[in-house]
Amino acid sequence: MPSQHHFLCTVCYLVRESTAANIDAASQLPTPSPDGALIAFIASTQLHIRSARTSDDVEIYDLPSGFDQSCRFVRWYRSRHGGSKCASQRLLLADDARIIIYDVTKSQSYAEITGATSLTKLDDVDFGWTPDEVMVFSDFGFKLQIWSLPTKRAVEVKDPKSITSCYSYRPMTGHLAILTRPAAHDILLIIAPQSHEVLSTSELSTVDARGIEYSPDGNWLAVFDTASAGCRVVILTADGNHFKTHSIPHGESNPGVRRIQWSPTGDHLAIGDCESNVTLLGKNTVCAFGPSSYRRTSLTFSQFTPRLKFFHPRTLEVPNGIVWQEELGPSRSRSYAQAKQPATAPSYESFNATKKRSSGIALMEFNHPRGDLLASTSSDTPSTLWVHSTDSRPGETITALIHHSPIKALSWHPTVPDLLLVQCAIAEPASYVWKSDWSEPRVLSLPLKAPMEKIGAAWLATDDDSIRLMLSSAEQSAIKQFTHEGEEVIDSVGQMGPEAMFDEGNSFDLSSVHMQADKYPEETPAVGLSTELGHTLDVEDTFHYRHQSKTAT
């Protein structure tokens, strides 16, 4: 835990040249690795991998011709069992025709997968449980392929649900739970790590499941149903057996579920519904058995009963806290001021008078690592943030922050439990930071040219006690530091060339990906195999390894 006396917050912006000829590539935000050690970016038609701590290039790769127009994905390998501190050495780039995997310890691309979605477009791609696995989702939920880089083989899963949260890896063991819909019912598959053998297949009671998530301890699976089915969350055991279904009692208002999230400790499951409420299910209950004259036996068992409920009304009253409101001063300077209670949160219609909206909880994030704070926003009042207590003041709203623009991202610091980053949809180099012991929230604003079309933000990893934060656009950069009390220490703005770079860290990317291109090293073709569950077939010219990786087995 960083020392409070050495608390620093650093904000970094990037300055790069852009022209009309490469406007697509210029809109790409730099992509930090999860461990905060490396950052990937494009400059002079090359992919650069740079050290965040020394600002030196670790590797520079030439990209295929035309890849700047076709590339849609860039993904670092994020450890699913070692946390953000696990070193990130691999990343992939992908378009609809090819997936290129890079290993920063090698001077050329490590491997390439082509033709994985020959009949449809590529819908999504990411690393699997290990950096040696690549998951390829076809468009329209046609199929999922899990490629093994060492064996050059792929396991094919048909009819995965075409939703972003259709799968979840079990912590510690790597078992894959995936939702499929081959016919009129939702089917849950549990797939073994490495061998990818199907261990169990079960039909769910859901109407149309919208998401699945393993608990942090790996003992439970939570599946939430479509909103039209009402508030239904199915709790399953780790191997997919039904344990309990949480639903609203008959006769009460029965809104559908927008999203779910486990707390980092696994003690709570948060359910955000379509009426802008968050219900916390408590997992554990302790009971004592046996008469008083005998030694009593204590047993902890899982109950999953509603413990707390948070509301998000337009009229804000925080009896034991403060409502903060963003103010615009001269020259559009931004700051927070204490609002008189009760305050009124701006409605969705005040930002989008004609656009149809989806109601309910929009964002919901527990803090790390304790999970005793929950930050949330509602689609009905998109510019307002609530911070709730789940432990020390259970059920209370600690504070509320009202902004001039809708909130588009939230990010708790990975090691400082009460430090929250808020990103709003503004075309200015500004971001918002709240900390529980500050006298007021801070707006990190820098005197750079506006408007800025795309802005990214990320907490940064450091080797000392400082806490660092990156803000980046495709064109501009600057640095600020704040003390533990939130006071500014350094304010510097610099102009750097297109190859200049900055520190990076645990990322949430706020833009699509477009990469520049150049000549590509000569390929060494190889023949790979794609194995469908229960079947094996030959696929020619599918998997291409570089010279240095031919020894992979």
Side-chain angles (χ1 to χ4, degrees), residues 388-410:
H388 314 282
S389 173
T390 66
D391 189 10
S392 60
R393 294 156 54 184
E396 284 193 27
T397 296
I398 295 177
T399 190
L401 281 64
I402 303 174
H403 304 88
H404 280 280
S405 301
I407 299 170
K408 62 181 181 180
L410 303 174

Side-chain angles (χ1 to χ4, degrees), residues 132-151:
D132 285 329
E133 293 180 354
V134 176
M135 304 180 71
V136 183
F137 288 87
S138 299
D139 207 1
F140 305 113
F142 180 64
K143 64 180 177 179
L144 160 67
Q145 290 181 333
I146 307 175
W147 282 93
S148 170
L149 302 185
T151 65

Side-chain angles (χ1 to χ4, degrees), residues 271-307:
I271 302 173
D273 64 37
C274 295
E275 289 188 353
S276 297
N277 305 316
V278 176
T279 301
L280 259 62
L281 302 185
K283 187 183 72 171
N284 292 331
T285 302
V286 178
C287 291
F289 300 91
S292 57
S293 58
Y294 294 92
R295 183 170 58 91
R296 300 177 69 86
T297 301
S298 295
L299 174 66
T300 301
F301 65 95
S302 297
Q303 193 80 333
F304 293 106
T305 55
R307 178 173 176 264

